[in-house]
Amino acid sequence: MADETKKRVFSGVQPTGKVTLGNYLGAIRNWTPLQESFDCLFCVVDLHSLTVRQVPAELRKNTLDLTALYIACGIDPSQSILFIQSHVHEHAELAWILDTVAYVGELNRMTQFKDKARRHADNINMGLMNYPVLMASDILLYQAEYIPVGKDQVQHVELARDIAVRFNSRYSDTFVVPQCMLSKTGSSIKSLQEPTAKMSKSDPDDNAVISLTDDPDAVRRKLRRAVTDSDTDAHCVRHDAAKPGISNLLNVYSLCSGVSVADAEKQFEGKGYGVFKEAVADAVVSVLQPIQAEQKRLLADKGYLERVLKEGAERASAIAQRTLSKVYRKVGLVPKIR
Ligand code: TYM
């Protein structure tokens, strides 16, 4: 049962391509400690993935892989609600109502839309543009107060806030107005090849991205090749805006090893980049290995995953139905006779 006395948290990841270390450090990892104090919903947002072309069989596989990954990363389905977005039809229905509240102008200004439209110039579909409205619907449907995401999603959460405030003032108080929860050092993990850009699932350069399924050899190889800096004091491991590559690796090291950035700077003083990169690789491998083993074990137990998803969808639907019928009533739709 959802605990109505606790504040609610909602977040999700798209089952598109391979989940990255950025997704883990910026989002999923930060969800697990919230489960104690908040009423949490974690969603595999498959409808969002359709905004770029997918191979149907791959999308199905990625969706189950991601479900298992959530659990392997510490999401406890007996505590939190874990479900697949398309299993709760209210997401798409509320999105339609919110479409009538969101403005084309504000959707046109979304950085991610502009970026994706550039990268998928042959497929600028309406879904791509409407995507932040569907995301607002995910959040508002559950009256979620806190949204733990990485920096790249802040603009979308702000739009969800704007839509909630606008709806509330037009139709009277209906939605909780959500806010972002950002991790201090993990909210923007950068590409290993272009350390001023974010590490992204869709990066065509495999060396730029550590995937959560990478084996230890791949992790070591990618980190050895990670772009660093050639400033005057090259080989000095320091967190510095002028050293974006090393700063990014320091963040990754700190998050994976538990050593603070300041202590890590001291630890690697005078040691050079080679030694540092090996230590980063060891720290990343030690985080990934248990997750990979647990994900594999869970994927072999299809019955368990199906039960989790069935129960998750039922628990999510119960909340979603309540919000949607309230919204339908507020906007003036005649209730269905049951
Ligand atoms: P997605 O699938 O692109 O990313 C999932 C989460 O990972 C974070 N993230 C990162 N954090 C740090 N460094 C990075 N390099 C990095 N790359 C990604 C993202 O910020 C995100 O938190 N629209 C969302 C999914 C979504 C959602 C929602 C999230 C749909 N509905 C409702 C929260 C609430 C997305 O595409 O995330």
Side-chain angles (χ1 to χ4, degrees), residues 234-294:
H235 305 297
C236 170
V237 176
R238 196 179 64 238
H239 204 283
D240 185 329
K243 289 166 152 301
I246 286 295
S247 300
N248 185 42
L249 295 185
L250 268 168
N251 285 341
V252 168
Y253 178 72
S254 171
L255 290 162
C256 292
S257 68
V259 176
S260 72
V261 169
D263 285 348
E265 286 175 337
K266 282 188 213 127
Q267 186 183 341
F268 295 102
E269 212 175 297
K271 299 239 167 81
Y273 290 169
V275 173
F276 173 55
K277 283 176 165 181
E278 287 305 319
V280 180
D282 286 342
V284 171
V285 167
S286 71
V287 166
L288 297 195
Q289 271 183 331
I291 294 175
Q292 291 170 353
E294 182 61 0

Side-chain angles (χ1 to χ4, degrees), residues 205-220:
D205 181 355
D206 193 45
N207 282 322
V209 179
I210 293 182
S211 140
L212 290 197
T213 51
D214 279 347
D215 62 32
D217 285 348
V219 171
R220 289 183 203 289

Side-chain angles (χ1 to χ4, degrees), residues 14 22-23 48 131 135 138 149-150 152-153 186-187 189 199 201:
Q14 291 190 61
N23 296 131
H48 280 272
Y131 169 116
M135 181 162 158
D138 301 337
V149 284
D152 63 324
Q153 295 299 321
S187 65
I189 301 298
M199 183 182 283
K201 278 188 207 118

Side-chain angles (χ1 to χ4, degrees), residues 10-16 20-28 31 45 48 85 112 116 131 134-136 138-139 147-154 156-157 186-191 198-201:
F10 183 99
S11 202
V13 175
Q14 291 190 61
T16 312
T20 73
L21 188 64
N23 296 131
Y24 177 69
L25 296 177
I28 306 172
W31 301 349
V45 289
H48 280 272
Q85 185 185 30
Q112 206 165 71
K116 284 198 176 168
Y131 169 116
L134 180 59
M135 181 162 158
D138 301 337
I139 295 168
I147 316 300
V149 284
K151 243 183 218 152
D152 63 324
Q153 295 299 321
V154 170
H156 292 161
V157 177
S187 65
S188 190
I189 301 298
K190 304 299 185 191
S191 151
K198 78 161 186 174
M199 183 182 283
S200 165
K201 278 188 207 118

